[in-house]
Amino acid sequence: MALIVEKTTTGREYKVKDMHQADFGRLELELAEVEMPGLMSCRVEFGPSQPFKGARITGSLHMTIQTAVLIETLTALGAEVRWCSCNIFSTQDHAAAAIARDSAAVFAWKGETLQEYWWCTERALDWGPGGGPDLIIDDGGDATLLIHEGVKAEEDFEKSGKVPDPSSTDNAEFQIVLSIIRDGLKTDPKRYHKMKQRLVGVSEETTTGVKRLYQMQANGTLLFPAINVNDSVTKSKFDNLYGCRHSLPDGLMRATDVMIAGKVAVVCGYGDVGKGCAAAMKQAGARVIVTEIDPICALQALMEGLQVLTLEDVVSEADIFVTTTGNKDIIMVHHMRKMKNNAIVCNIGHFDNEIDMHGLETYPGVKRITIKPQTDRWVFPDTKSGIIILAEGRLMNLGCATGHPSFVMSCSFTNQVIAQLELWKEKSTGKYEKKVYVLPKHLDEKVAALHLGKLGAKLTILTKDQADYIRIPVEGPYKPAHYRY
Amino acid sequence: MALIVEKTTTGREYKVKDMHQADFGRLELELAEVEMPGLMSCRVEFGPSQPFKGARITGSLHMTIQTAVLIETLTALGAEVRWCSCNIFSTQDHAAAAIARDSAAVFAWKGETLQEYWWCTERALDWGPGGGPDLIIDDGGDATLLIHEGVKAEEDFEKSGKVPDPSSTDNAEFQIVLSIIRDGLKTDPKRYHKMKQRLVGVSEETTTGVKRLYQMQANGTLLFPAINVNDSVTKSKFDNLYGCRHSLPDGLMRATDVMIAGKVAVVCGYGDVGKGCAAAMKQAGARVIVTEIDPICALQALMEGLQVLTLEDVVSEADIFVTTTGNKDIIMVHHMRKMKNNAIVCNIGHFDNEIDMHGLETYPGVKRITIKPQTDRWVFPDTKSGIIILAEGRLMNLGCATGHPSFVMSCSFTNQVIAQLELWKEKSTGKYEKKVYVLPKHLDEKVAALHLGKLGAKLTILTKDQADYIRIPVEGPYKPAHYRY
Amino acid sequence: MALIVEKTTTGREYKVKDMHQADFGRLELELAEVEMPGLMSCRVEFGPSQPFKGARITGSLHMTIQTAVLIETLTALGAEVRWCSCNIFSTQDHAAAAIARDSAAVFAWKGETLQEYWWCTERALDWGPGGGPDLIIDDGGDATLLIHEGVKAEEDFEKSGKVPDPSSTDNAEFQIVLSIIRDGLKTDPKRYHKMKQRLVGVSEETTTGVKRLYQMQANGTLLFPAINVNDSVTKSKFDNLYGCRHSLPDGLMRATDVMIAGKVAVVCGYGDVGKGCAAAMKQAGARVIVTEIDPICALQALMEGLQVLTLEDVVSEADIFVTTTGNKDIIMVHHMRKMKNNAIVCNIGHFDNEIDMHGLETYPGVKRITIKPQTDRWVFPDTKSGIIILAEGRLMNLGCATGHPSFVMSCSFTNQVIAQLELWKEKSTGKYEKKVYVLPKHLDEKVAALHLGKLGAKLTILTKDQADYIRIPVEGPYKPAHYRY
Amino acid sequence: MALIVEKTTTGREYKVKDMHQADFGRLELELAEVEMPGLMSCRVEFGPSQPFKGARITGSLHMTIQTAVLIETLTALGAEVRWCSCNIFSTQDHAAAAIARDSAAVFAWKGETLQEYWWCTERALDWGPGGGPDLIIDDGGDATLLIHEGVKAEEDFEKSGKVPDPSSTDNAEFQIVLSIIRDGLKTDPKRYHKMKQRLVGVSEETTTGVKRLYQMQANGTLLFPAINVNDSVTKSKFDNLYGCRHSLPDGLMRATDVMIAGKVAVVCGYGDVGKGCAAAMKQAGARVIVTEIDPICALQALMEGLQVLTLEDVVSEADIFVTTTGNKDIIMVHHMRKMKNNAIVCNIGHFDNEIDMHGLETYPGVKRITIKPQTDRWVFPDTKSGIIILAEGRLMNLGCATGHPSFVMSCSFTNQVIAQLELWKEKSTGKYEKKVYVLPKHLDEKVAALHLGKLGAKLTILTKDQADYIRIPVEGPYKPAHYRY
């Protein structure tokens, strides 16, 4: 696509695949609203007081129907919003169109190149000459990364006149990041400093991004306050677990129509995502084998009747391989060569480097046959045996299906709204330093409570006497901070 | 679509949606072959001897990728094939295109009108002046029905000169059937008699069709031998059960992206299909309520921890309703009016009359909003509350997803191949009378055996001594006829 | 125990372990009555008309609490009853005591020798000089066998004066049977003929006994009508499946307290019993491996995510071995030698010859350490490794726990009552020949219906129109005979 | 029992039910050792260096077979041990006998009165004139409580000469505690001060005890360092969850033989224990309803397909009620009156006050019928309807069955050994203050690792490169402190 920003009749910027899909997006958005009681409750509770009046929010988070409901919750609370996706395949084009037409500046489409991806990220951060956003909602930390790298480069440039050199790295994606910053330096050598200055804080959605934040905190390089939304119980124990339990089989079915029952599925990693994936595969009738580095998680897998082995032990007899680790180099090309014909290999962890896509692409004589978008068969020249790679090694639930369903994303995104409200409310109080915070437990419990009615649940209320007996307030929080759920 | 037969360069007739999808169909066909070991074994075992040499086979069965592998197995064994779908929504257009281009005469596309549907059925049965097919593969019995109704009409016409009167019925679909027969009488008053005369027999795929056959047998009106493939164990206890366990959630997810976990799902009927559906919903984290008329099936549901109630008891508190009964009038419009906003209503039984679509369509003031093809929101004027109807009340797994997966269909379709081989081999021996037969148990066991290797299973072999002890042959069959599995 | 018949104050014969346990037995009996709605309904429906007035019923069936409720249902309907157990370990002594004191002649205790076992069987069949029982309730067919062998021996004796020679067989148990018959011949050479003459029929409880009956029918040697209760759906698909799903883990826990989660369990056989066992182990968190001879059952196991291998493949890595086959020589001593230290080996099929107890007992240098009754550790001299054998290879759920729970036995036993009523009602009509019959489907459905209310279920009622549509009566039966559930 | 201390031939004190059961206990102990790889590894790793040389350890923890293996691990590492149970019903008398005879001073039997219970606790703490133990292993905190109350009373007595007045409380159990302390004051007014002085620390096993410790820490009244073993992941997420998943059905079956399938089970509380219980009931085929005060746990229950309601909503339709809350007054007598006849009511939380036993016992006209020890039917006078109470409202898995199985207790108890080693090693370093500590994560991971081999698991090893990428050491710990597993 030509990277030219378009404008709506009202003058709002956007770049999406096809504006004609806006009506379809709107219909699905309306369905999703019914499934997202947490977000809709926020609109009812906070909408009237317009707490985000004057706030500019930039989001870098999968531009799906669910995210669309989040964006319109933010705007319903008074915010101005610019958005990009945090994954080249995760955008739902009808969702992007509906939001671009009706509510916010969107720069996202399904199937971006890496170049396009970072252009979109830059657009979402670019609020014009007055600096960047007040608040960021980040997923994986790419928006945060760009600002941090930008600030660093500007400092170097100021000190030494040096500009970033893309050829200094052989990571193709980081080369693009450096190019963008380098080019930016030419037009405005204080661009990222201005952003940093304006920024009140970021709320981060996912494990990978959170890890980056804690590292920066540890290194003392974090430039603004951050709220770790990922580790809200109602996020990590819900969306990571129940979301993946839903969307892994969904992605497998849409991409390959494969029968899961009777198959051998290898789940690499048994964290929250891995637990959801293993449960899904087991329930669908697969025999599940888990690989783990952590003996505690391994023992949990065993207690559920799963086998725990190494990838080497099972590589040639399994049918489905799923990486969920958040680490890299999990399934290498030498593993893939030993797999059964048409073994399915996919990633639902975070980055595409869980699978050795580079090794596969550069394997001598390998042949790629695209069955349909995001479903490729790669054939090895020697064995004539093929493997099926989903979503080019990127998040298969977003690449091959529609990601997590609305209800569980309502939990995650209600945490986001609350985190953003908190950052914005405390913007001048100094409550939040340049550190990483988690939301207090009573807010976590509130998020859960907002989702019970939709499912017909009724809570038991403690008597005062009972509450005193276990020394907690009647209205909660009900658990100590270290409680694991 | 204009109902004009097209021809391939080799002169084979067809009518499909888009011939450009043939390459895509071929790629998916090749993937499916790896998942259909039963059919591929038939090619290896029987292909060299070309047992179907000279046989004309007409199929009326969902024109999917899996069916494509079946068709090419039939042609690999020497048959000539003409095909139509047995459901207006179940065709996969790329599968139809690949077969039409490469292997057989196909008349099928996704989203036929009823008029188009019966035109396709007629085309599939029309082998030219020399009469109809030698063999029929039927699903639901529509091809069989057309011949029986045609023969009856021709007899009436011969006796009394009367032609069928479409206005004699208010069943819209049957009106079309009568029109077709009436029009046929004009050009050839012996058309269906010639078909009957040539026909060696039919093998029927599904419960509904089998019921019709047994009725005709009971009434003495069955015109040719029939093999009941549905009641092979490797069909009814596999495709009905495990197939639906797979394809119900698949259809729900593709059509609505709804989170199943936490929801209340009502499964109407707890036969093989209902068992698969209830298992799928339970495993996905729904709370499942079953409705049943049969106390034995009801008690089975209870033993699995499911609640058994009537539809009236739960209609206003459930989120997902699935009919699996094979009966009619299960969910009526008066039920739908009481449902929660955006309750999902769908059918995976057989015909669309399980759901009162007529009542819904004619409900005063009701408004239909098509979210996307096969997903409609119907809004009642008084409550402003909407319900989501999938696939217009027709089979949702075929209408909204891609039907059962290849592996389980390989079981069903290997039964079909074996049944067809049996009918053809015995065509002149008189072994099969105008009755309904099931396949002998050793063939049923053979079908299962052909599918074990793919899943890495190893069978235990009886010693002679053990076989004698339980008085069965070492090589099976292993169970008495009444065994229930 | 000294084999001397005792008498109650009212003159009824009995031989039980400890009459002081009668009160305890009565208390548990009263609890069980609440869990056995089918039997209690029979009392209400048939009690007033005393249909068994004048009937003598002999039972050879595990003398448990549940059986006690069956016996008192028979007596409540007017029968006189004599009872023995059909397994040396299955008697619950408090149940036996309560029945002996209050209701019927009982000859049974937990831990009989084989000699004692057959003495009890003989006592139960001995109704005095006027011949034997009118009706038999049999489980495994031992009472039926004794009569058939007795009649045969009497015929031989009459013809040739020859008496049975126990030394003609090396089956220790059959030696005892022959001794008993031989000794009987001395006192009354027409003893078994008289029994045969009086006998109206037998209803048989279980797979093994049913197999024997069909063989005798095939051979033309069956001496009286038999009703196959085992193949009522509400028996074989309930007690075999759900009963074992409950009582396998119960037996394992009571015998060994072993943690099932995390273990590898091998289930030999995947029929109804095997399906229940595999489900129980899987649900408790074990990894389950199935061995099978039948490809259909094997494929069913695979569809549930179970691994299907041979015993040889897994013998040295599994923790728990369960035989469920009804065949013999499943786990041999050479297998046991290769097992892990303290592997648990048990049988829930039928006879103790599923496990090679003879081979184990005679293995040179093997050492038996009795942990507690029915739990033995056998140590091999060479490896010093031990295995745990439950219930000496006999039914472990009855030997180590209390067998199937009341509710599911209520289904089975209501079938028994109905079968006995049917035989007795038709005793002089000639309806039943010397063949094996199953109960008609409407009675099977009735049994199920009697158990729904207790579980809070509500059935849906067909409209006349719906019933006509699927061509069944509104009131059932709802399924064709071949339906598999 | 007469409360007189007995002595072994070697002069070690004890008081157990029956010393003749020692051999049986030893046999089961040997079986358990094979199932407790963590403890056995400790013996191998630490035994040679005798780290507990000179240490006196008092334990107050269910005197079961598993605890016996713990005790003998402590003695194998050089400790002297005195032991009592922490529950009047939880002792396994054969385990107590084996340990009393062979290894340590035991004061415990199944079915103690409260008076006896506290006498045993006092005995276990009494190491003679030189003061008490060096270390305590506590479960529920009773040993810790006695010392704290004792010290407080001695201080009061020293200040004011006042002795504790049992009549000052109407809690029957606390009256006994006060009596014991009062009587102790007469013989030695510094008894508990001496204990306190000697004590290096306590390691606490369970949630309830841990709560008490954190309260004392918060109040500043904690007298010595404490290690919270309960919140090791390998304890709370294993024994609480998987242990109860195993032992709840075990207790139900042994106590009542009730069929769980088809029943409605209400689980009060959905913490770790409740999660295990709900899973067990669901897997056994019950329909499960959860009651919860915490919206997060409630939402977790919903995601598993469980219904969340209040006790009032379901009290009259459920069959089985299980309390798991750790709170009091969960099921009151007014609830019990509304239950179905023979509803089962039991507690697996901590104290018997989860169930209103006092209200039940004092209900006018109520009648208690003891079916067998720990299984009572209580009949209400007005309705004639009875309910079944297990273990008099105390922990039903220990009262009616044998508690958690060895394997999972090996995890818990290996944490105990490691905690004790840590306290003892650091006894003079000042590392541990009068606070509550949890074990460091690498020890938690070590405990898990010790249990993998037994289950045939193989861990994946991180490469250095991968470890660096996610910024953890190759050898762990693998997760941040807040990780929830």
Side-chain angles (χ1 to χ4, degrees), chain D residues 374-431:
Chain D
Q374 275 84 61
T375 307
D376 294 296
R377 185 163 185 261
W378 292 77
V379 184
F380 289 101
D382 33 7
T383 61
K384 301 296 174 206
S385 182
I387 60 165
I388 315 284
I389 297 277
L390 304 191
E392 303 183 13
R394 292 172 189 271
L395 292 179
M396 61 78 76
N397 57 338
L398 283 154
C400 300
T402 60
H404 295 335
S406 299
F407 187 83
V408 83
M409 291 315 296
S410 179
C411 293
S412 302
F413 287 166
T414 306
N415 278 293
Q416 282 287 8
V417 172
I418 288 173
Q420 293 278 313
L421 282 171
E422 181 71 8
L423 285 168
W424 187 240
K425 194 180 70 173
E426 306 291 344
K427 60 180 175 290
S428 10
T429 65
K431 177 173 175 185

Side-chain angles (χ1 to χ4, degrees), chain B residues 285-299:
Chain B
R287 181 157 66 84
V288 180
I289 298 166
V290 163
T291 72
E292 247 301 340
I293 58 164
D294 180 333
I296 296 178
C297 295
L299 197 53

